[in-house]
Amino acid sequence: MRWDAQRLDFDEPTTLPGLPDVRGLLRSVQVPEFPGLTFHEVRAKSALNAVPKGSAMPFGHTVNPYRGCSHACVYCYSRGTHEWLELDSGADFDQQIVVKTNVVEVLRRELARPSWQREHVALGTNTDPYQRAEGRYRLMPGIIDALARSGTPFSVLTKGTLARRDIPRLAAASRDVPVGMGVSMAIWDDDLHAALEPGAPTPRARLDLVRAITDAGLPCGVFLAPVLPGLTDRMDHLEAAIGAIAAAGATGVTVLPLHLRPGAREWFTAWLSREHPGLVGRYRQLYGRGAYVPAEYRSWLVGRVAPVLARYGLDRQSGGAARGVDTGSGLGLPGDESAGFPAGSLPTRRPRPAVVDEAPEQLSLC
């Protein structure tokens, strides 16, 4: 496999307890608390991943403590990244989870470099940092502390309700650096959720997470994504979703149609053929030219949701002032650069309190 640079060898003094180490083999762990999952514990050489120059992303770096995701969302656009590890983008992506056990210590070193410019760092742009593995490895508290103590603004995108554990830490960090929070949700029908997001918390549980975040004084933008043509784009579905998101206190919403990249495309299409064969022809028409729906469908969807978002005051977007760009710039999202981030999901600098001019105090010289 392509993991040789991250192997755990038997003479490594800081490895975690698990299966016996054998030189030349990657250590893998299966534990009763997480049936069906295999955790591959690796040592990362780097924690900060630079975003390619010229990207539309409103952040310069990302941190991904995990690869693969036990949320097992059939439509996940990151599935294809697992193939770089010589694993498949289907069941392996859901069940074979790579854990960067030393990510916190590596991140601290990289943030301490004199060359570090304290650019916005994004978490959750590839796989979810609050998936089930985080309950065992607890990497996020150290990552949050390292970023905050270094003066680095950051954002978190998740659908994992485990994030509630760290809300006090995130709120404390926001007093030192700008912090953005984003929660992803898409499906409101319980049966459809169970079929398409079998390992993810329910949408109602994620609404509770949004409320907990905003109750703690943090902003929280919601990604109503992906909207699935013929399945979740009915007006009653969209109205119910946006109304519930507004009631939970979200600071903004971005609505995104499904896009099907290689890896996700094959996995989702197989599911659609089994569960909704009558929609296969429509999806072939919509996605016959690539990963994205045609402009006509986008315009139709925008026209459908825009009045609802405006009614609830959720039609604001933020391009991320932490990177020195203007609010509302509509900078692209991971996997879909034509859509913008909802307000609250990116770190923005808080306005400084006004300075009141006062007569200078007379000091006596002794």
Side-chain angles (χ1 to χ4, degrees):
M1 292 187 181
R2 300 184 183 184
W3 305 353
D4 287 350
Q6 297 178 316
R7 291 188 311 228
L8 294 170
D9 293 329
F10 72 90
D11 57 353
E12 170 57 61
T14 59
T15 58
L16 300 178
L19 299 179
D21 295 315
V22 178
R23 178 173 292 279
L25 294 179
L26 181 73
R27 182 169 61 184
S28 302
V29 181
Q30 294 176 324
V31 292
E33 306 97 285
F34 301 98
L37 298 182
T38 299
F39 299 129
H40 301 287
E41 299 175 350
V42 303
R43 293 187 63 77
K45 287 187 173 181
S46 64
L48 289 167
N49 309 300
V51 175
K53 298 292 185 183
S55 169
M57 297 303 106
F59 40 80
H61 292 79
T62 64
V63 173
N64 297 297
Y66 306 103
R67 297 188 68 167
C69 186
S70 58
H71 290 333
C73 300
V74 175
Y75 51 75
C76 181
Y77 68 83
S78 295
R79 287 185 170 275
T81 63
H82 233 44
E83 295 175 1
W84 286 99
L85 302 178
E86 298 177 9
L87 295 169
D88 71 54
S89 59
D92 283 350
F93 181 84
D94 302 338
Q95 300 168 3
Q96 306 290 323
I97 310 301
V98 179
V99 183
K100 300 176 184 178
T101 58
N102 64 332
V103 68
V104 174
E105 61 188 84
V106 174
L107 179 62
R108 286 179 185 141
R109 289 200 304 267
E110 292 177 339
L111 295 173
R113 292 171 179 167
S115 59
W116 175 241
Q117 298 297 308
R118 294 174 177 80
E119 291 186 64
H120 167 197
V121 171
L123 297 111
T125 60
N126 186 32
T127 56
D128 201 315
Y130 283 109
Q131 60 177 288
R132 296 181 67 197
E134 174 62 15
R136 172 181 172 87
Y137 291 98
R138 297 182 63 87
L139 298 176
M140 282 298 289
I143 292 172
I144 293 167
D145 290 348
L147 291 167
R149 290 171 182 170
S150 70
T152 300
F154 65 93
S155 61
V156 179
L157 172 59
T158 185
K159 59 181 66 171
T161 52
L162 182 57
R164 295 187 70 154
R165 179 200 68 195
D166 289 344
I167 288 177
R169 179 176 259 103
L170 289 160
S174 72
R175 293 192 284 271
D176 297 323
V177 297
V179 174
M181 295 295 298
V183 172
S184 173
M185 56 183 70
I187 299 168
W188 302 91
D189 177 87
D190 289 339
D191 291 338
L192 194 57
H193 159 71
L196 279 167
E197 306 171 331
T202 67
R204 290 164 184 80
R206 282 176 258 171
L207 284 175
D208 291 341
L209 172 62
V210 174
R211 171 55 67 191
I213 291 170
T214 56
D215 282 350
L218 291 164
C220 185
V222 170
F223 298 81
L224 184 55
V227 172
L228 305 168
L231 293 171
T232 64
D233 59 357
R234 300 188 316 272
M235 198 64 210
D236 60 335
H237 182 104
L238 297 169
E239 285 262 11
I242 295 169
I245 291 167
T251 49
V253 175
T254 289
V255 182
L256 294 171
L258 174 71
H259 55 273
L260 293 174
R261 287 183 168 185
R265 188 184 189 96
E266 295 80 2
W267 197 241
F268 179 83
T269 301
W271 174 86
L272 191 71
S273 299
R274 292 193 309 269
E275 303 296 329
H276 298 276
L279 287 175
V280 170
R282 183 178 180 188
Y283 274 75
R284 284 176 181 160
Q285 181 181 25
L286 286 172
Y287 296 95
R289 295 184 178 180
Y292 299 97
V293 292
E296 294 79 9
Y297 181 89
R298 284 180 176 274
S299 298
W300 175 83
L301 183 61
V302 167
R304 196 158 247 225
V305 301
V308 185
L309 294 173
R311 187 191 319 153
Y312 289 106
L314 293 172
D315 51 348
R316 306 179 310 280
Q317 290 185 344
S318 172
R323 203 180 181 192
V325 296
D326 294 331
T327 297
S329 63
L331 287 175
L333 288 164
D336 191 345
E337 297 188 357
S338 66
F341 285 73
S345 63
L346 296 177
T348 56
R349 294 188 182 95
R350 297 180 180 179
R352 295 183 178 181
V355 177
V356 179
D357 291 330
E358 296 179 350
E361 181 182 1
Q362 283 296 113
L363 300 178
S364 60
L365 298 178
C366 299

